[in-house]
Amino acid sequence: MIRANSHFEKLKSSYLFRKIADRVKAFQEQRPEVRLIRLGIGDVTQPLPEACLDAFHKAVEEMGHVSTFRGYGPAEGYEFLRQAIAENDYRAYGADIGPDEIFVSDGSKGDCGNFQELFARDIVVGIPDPVYPVYLDSNVMAGRTGSFVDSAYQGVVYLPCSPETGFVPRPPELPVDLVYLCSPNNPTGTILGRNDLTAWVDWAKENKALILFDAAYAAFVRKKGLPRSIFEIDGAREVAVEFRSFSKTAGFTGTRCAFTVVPKDCRVFDDAGNLQPLYPLWYRRQTTKFNGVSYPVQRAAEATYSPEGQRQIDTIIEGYLKNADEICKTMKALGYEVAGGKHSPYVWVDAGMDDWAFFDLLLEKAGVVFTPGSGFGSKGAGYVRISAFGSSNGVVEAMTRIQQHILLSKSILPGEQPQ
Ligand code: MLT
């Protein structure tokens, strides 16, 4: 008899962004005249930079000729892209990462979800709260947690990201083997500074633990001296793996290209208690289950590192950061407590009321879509995440609508319930 993986029964019924999409669709069917402004899911709105587009076209053309056609590429990605990544994203920042420690993939969501396959079922996992749902759900699916009781999965060590912690996770008191960190943080928009990251690396060394560091939003860190990568911290090569993506950096959410860095010094314990390198495990996993990213997409990704590609990306990122600033300013002026939005495309707002009620209210009264914070974890209750990935006109209009329709009517000031 074929039986289902019963761990799926522990999951909430649907993935957060699916649930929001369904709710918005139902609203739009009832009120087709409302022109919605979507600042919910962090999907980009600006097209691919021209440098990427040119490289993409050229590579597609190559695929049409016998002399330049390519079939299967290396599962870990073409050397030309891995070289460019090592040089521009790591060595340029003083991080000692080689091309042979980089695995190109079709997205960080998949890599973040799949990486847990390399670890024993009974390790203890530390998860920030609130958190990007993929880290937690993939561990639930793998049977690494108990049931969901009183807003928490049994067996998971939650790392609160609250006003008291500055909305970033701090090293836990309880024993943890594997921890997921995200900086700039999704959903709170906050960043881990050099001292914060050093504390995490020291903690991992002392506790024989591993850090899975999601740096999908690294390109939004603009200030010199603030770390973009955990590998800018001494000793991180031994205790960390990093996920990076071209999605939010260069508009690749639909094109799909990302990479994962597994340093050769990073080690884990085998069943006999001996240290083993982690790199061959991920190599084995990828070569078994993955056939690489298409050649034109990798050429387009490589073009992000050309001088013109870098200039075009800077313009796009600066535009999104300007949106984030506009959101922060408006919400603060309206009396809301706000975190994030500085080196990040996400703004985390204390709604002063139930977050799903706030979501419904803004959808109905202003036609604006945010993400309710409780979808990211129990500590997200009462907050909403606003994405700055909209067009600049869209963001300005959304903020104006909120002022006019909601707050100027004084129907909901922070702390009040809707009438
Ligand atoms: C988000 O809105 O959190 C992101 O778009 C999700 C993702 O990158 O998968």
Side-chain angles (χ1 to χ4, degrees), residues 158-392:
Y158 287 89
L159 314 168
C161 300
S162 55
E164 295 74 41
T165 69
F167 294 105
V168 293
R170 303 287 175 196
E173 303 286 327
L174 294 169
V176 168
D177 303 306
L178 180 71
V179 78
Y180 289 81
L181 298 179
C182 180
S183 179
N185 189 279
N186 181 9
T188 65
T190 48
I191 55 168
L192 290 164
R194 198 164 288 278
N195 290 342
D196 300 318
L197 283 181
T198 304
W200 272 109
V201 168
D202 292 347
W203 167 86
K205 282 188 165 173
E206 264 167 46
N207 291 275
K208 301 185 169 67
L210 183 77
I211 297 169
L212 297 184
F213 188 74
D214 182 354
Y217 302 92
F220 290 83
V221 177
R222 308 305 277 175
K223 197 164 140 197
K224 256 200 151 97
L226 276 179
R228 284 184 164 197
S229 163
I230 196 164
F231 299 122
E232 291 176 46
I233 307 299
D234 282 345
R237 283 181 54 85
E238 291 152 47
V239 292
V241 164
E242 181 165 294
F243 306 103
R244 294 277 275 262
S245 169
F246 295 95
S247 283
K248 314 295 159 90
T249 308
F252 275 57
T253 51
T255 307
R256 311 306 302 151
C257 197
F259 58 92
T260 290
V261 181
V262 188
K264 300 242 168 109
D265 299 345
C266 196
R267 287 178 160 66
V268 287
F269 293 89
D270 65 16
D271 283 352
N274 300 315
L275 276 170
Q276 302 290 346
L278 186 59
Y279 179 94
L281 300 188
W282 187 241
Y283 189 88
R284 185 72 172 83
R285 192 266 172 209
Q286 289 300 83
T287 47
T288 301
K289 297 193 179 182
F290 187 60
N291 256 339
V293 176
S294 82
Y295 171 69
V297 168
Q298 292 194 57
R299 280 293 186 201
E302 182 196 22
T304 63
Y305 298 108
S306 67
E308 57 284 13
Q310 288 286 293
R311 271 196 302 279
Q312 290 156 8
I313 284 172
D314 280 351
T315 306
I316 295 172
I317 300 271
E318 291 299 339
Y320 289 140
L321 285 172
K322 208 161 148 245
N323 290 346
D325 198 47
E326 173 77 24
I327 295 165
C328 287
K329 275 196 199 135
T330 309
M331 298 311 281
K332 275 185 194 161
L334 293 168
Y336 289 91
E337 294 287 333
V338 165
K342 272 227 159 338
H343 297 280
S344 161
Y346 294 129
V347 182
W348 188 242
V349 178
D350 185 343
M353 60 187 287
D354 177 79
D355 49 301
W356 276 104
F358 193 68
F359 168 90
D360 284 336
L361 200 69
L362 292 182
L363 180 62
E364 280 161 29
K365 302 263 184 201
V368 177
V369 181
F370 293 164
T371 306
S374 59
F376 297 105
S378 66
K379 288 272 186 296
Y383 291 84
V384 290
R385 189 195 74 175
I386 309 180
S387 159
F389 283 117
S391 67
S392 124

Side-chain angles (χ1 to χ4, degrees), residues 16-217:
L16 172 63
F17 294 109
R18 185 72 253 165
K19 181 172 168 183
I20 293 169
D22 290 347
R23 208 128 153 175
V24 170
K25 187 163 171 258
F27 171 79
Q28 195 79 96
E29 274 163 14
Q30 279 184 339
R31 305 266 310 275
E33 77 287 0
V34 177
R35 193 171 44 81
L36 288 178
I37 303 177
R38 295 166 197 266
L39 306 178
I41 190 164
D43 196 2
V44 294
T45 51
Q46 298 309 299
L48 293 177
E50 246 175 77
C52 299
L53 212 55
D54 289 347
F56 213 159
H57 280 301
K58 198 165 156 260
V60 168
E61 188 56 37
E62 283 179 50
M63 296 297 274
H65 303 276
V66 170
S67 57
T68 47
F69 169 78
R70 304 207 188 202
Y72 291 127
E76 69 273 34
Y78 285 105
E79 174 85 16
F80 63 76
L81 179 54
R82 290 184 291 110
Q83 283 278 8
I85 293 169
E87 211 43 63
N88 293 283
D89 282 331
Y90 293 100
R91 287 174 178 160
Y93 291 87
D96 175 24
I97 294 295
D100 56 344
E101 296 176 308
I102 292 165
F103 293 83
V104 175
S105 77
D106 61 356
S108 275
K109 182 179 186 175
D111 286 357
C112 288
N114 292 329
F115 212 86
Q116 50 75 30
E117 287 177 22
L118 307 192
F119 309 113
R121 174 86 67 85
D122 58 356
I123 59 163
V124 178
V125 180
I127 300 273
D129 179 9
V131 75
Y132 177 45
V134 175
Y135 316 146
L136 182 56
D137 287 1
S138 56
N139 277 285
V140 174
M141 290 171 181
R144 210 167 273 119
T145 73
S147 303
F148 192 68
V149 180
D150 294 337
S151 312
Y153 283 101
Q154 292 168 324
V156 171
V157 173
Y158 287 89
L159 314 168
C161 300
S162 55
E164 295 74 41
T165 69
F167 294 105
V168 293
R170 303 287 175 196
E173 303 286 327
L174 294 169
V176 168
D177 303 306
L178 180 71
V179 78
Y180 289 81
L181 298 179
C182 180
S183 179
N185 189 279
N186 181 9
T188 65
T190 48
I191 55 168
L192 290 164
R194 198 164 288 278
N195 290 342
D196 300 318
L197 283 181
T198 304
W200 272 109
V201 168
D202 292 347
W203 167 86
K205 282 188 165 173
E206 264 167 46
N207 291 275
K208 301 185 169 67
L210 183 77
I211 297 169
L212 297 184
F213 188 74
D214 182 354
Y217 302 92

